[in-house]
Amino acid sequence: MSSLFAIFGNPVSHSKSPLMHNATFKALDIDSCYARYMLTDGERLREKFLSLGLSGANITVPHKEHAYRACDYLDEFAQKVGSVNTIVQRDGKLHGYNTDAPGFLRAISEFEDIKRVLFIGAGGTAQSTSVVLRDAGYDVTIINRTPARLERYIADGFICYSFDELLSMDMNQIERFDLVVNMTSAGLEDDSLPAPIKILNEFLPHSKACVDVIYGKQTPFLRLAKELNKDTKDGSDMLLYQGIIAFEHFTNYSYDFNQILPHMRRVFDF
Ligand code: NDP
C-alpha cells in the first residue's frame, strides 16, 4: 500500500526534506510520497496529520513543541527533551521521536579526540543536542546572548555564561574547548557572528574543530574558523543524518542507516 508523508513548518518552502525522502523512496522502490505543509497554527498539527491520512511526518520550526504535545506515545529521548521532529502513525496512534539530536551527535562523532564542547546559543536545537551530547559523555558548556534563556540549562546542571558575564571576567580561567558550535541563527539571514569577536578570539584559536548548524552557506562563523585553519563542518550532515534516522522510523526499521545513506546523500551533491 502506498503511504503519504509530509513536513510541517512555517516557513516550509525552503525545506530539503521532501527531496531527501522522495529520492530515497524512489531509489529503494518504495511506493510512497513526501509533501510539504505550511502550518500556521501548531495547535492543529494533530488534526491536520490525521485528516491528511499521513503515515508519518517531520516537523520543523516553530512546531517541534506542538508536535511533542500532539503525540500519543513518545520515545524516551523525545520525552526527556520535550521536542519532536518526527512522528510515525501506528494503528491510529502518533509516536513521536527527536532525530535532530542523534543526527547532530553522529555528525560531530566524525571529529576525533573531542571531549569538551562549547555551544554558542541556547535555543530549541541547543536544548536537545546538549542533552544527547552529555548522555554520550561529552562535557558541554553553553553561552548565550540573553541570560534568561540559560536558566533551564543551569537548572539542568550545565555550565553556562552569558556574553556579558564572559566579557566582564578573565576568560583565561575557563578551560579551553575541543569543539566550538554555532547553535544560533546568527549568519542564517544576516552577516553577523554569533558572539562578540572578543569571545570568539578567546576560544576558537584553541579548538580542534568548529561546527555551524546552519547549512548550505558559508556563515561568518565558519569563515572565521577557516581563517584559523580549523576543521569545519556546516549543518548539512546533521540535516542528512536526522533525515536518515527519520526514514528508519518511517519504514519501521526495514532499512538501516547505511542502506539509506547513499540515496539520501545524493540530494546534497547537487
Ligand atoms: P531558536 O530560535 O530556538 O534559538 C535561536 C538562538 O540563536 C538563541 O540562542 C538566540 O539567542 C540566538 N541568536 C539568534 N540571533 C543571534 C545573534 N544575532 N547573535 C547571537 N545570538 C543569536 O532557534 P533553533 O535553536 O531552533 O535554531 C538554531 C539554528 O539551528 C538555526 O540557524 C536553524 O536553522 C539551525 N538548525 C539546523 C538544523 C540542521 O539539521 N542542520 C536542524 C535544526 C535547526 P537569544 O536567546 O539571545 O535570542
Side-chain angles (χ1 to χ4, degrees), residues 27-132:
L28 294 171
D29 206 17
I30 299 171
D31 184 17
S32 293
C33 180
Y34 189 114
R36 65 179 95 228
Y37 193 97
M38 225 284 279
L39 183 69
T40 41
D41 180 1
E43 296 298 335
R44 301 187 67 194
L45 193 140
R46 182 184 172 91
E47 172 199 330
K48 281 289 161 204
F49 184 105
L50 293 170
S51 67
L52 289 165
L54 298 178
S55 297
N58 287 123
I59 299 89
T60 186
V61 177
H63 298 316
K64 291 181 191 180
E65 286 177 18
H66 291 123
Y68 169 83
R69 291 197 294 276
C71 291
D72 299 298
Y73 301 104
L74 295 162
D75 86 339
E76 203 183 324
F77 182 71
Q79 204 160 14
K80 195 161 154 182
V81 296
S83 158
V84 160
N85 78 322
T86 300
I87 296 179
V88 180
Q89 198 224 129
R90 296 192 186 98
D91 301 325
K93 302 287 184 201
L94 307 197
H95 295 247
Y97 306 90
N98 182 303
T99 73
D100 285 329
F104 178 77
L105 176 63
R106 193 160 185 132
I108 69 150
S109 305
E110 290 165 7
F111 293 117
E112 287 174 2
D113 300 325
I114 302 292
K115 174 75 178 165
R116 288 179 48 78
V117 180
L118 179 67
F119 274 16
I120 308 170
T125 308
Q127 193 197 343
S128 58
T129 49
S130 57
V131 172
V132 90

Side-chain angles (χ1 to χ4, degrees), residues 121-125 144-146 149 183-186 194 213-215 235 239:
T125 308
N144 199 54
R145 180 178 59 182
T146 307
R149 250 213 243 239
M183 277 285 168
T184 76
S185 39
V213 289
I214 295 171
Y215 58 87
L239 178 71

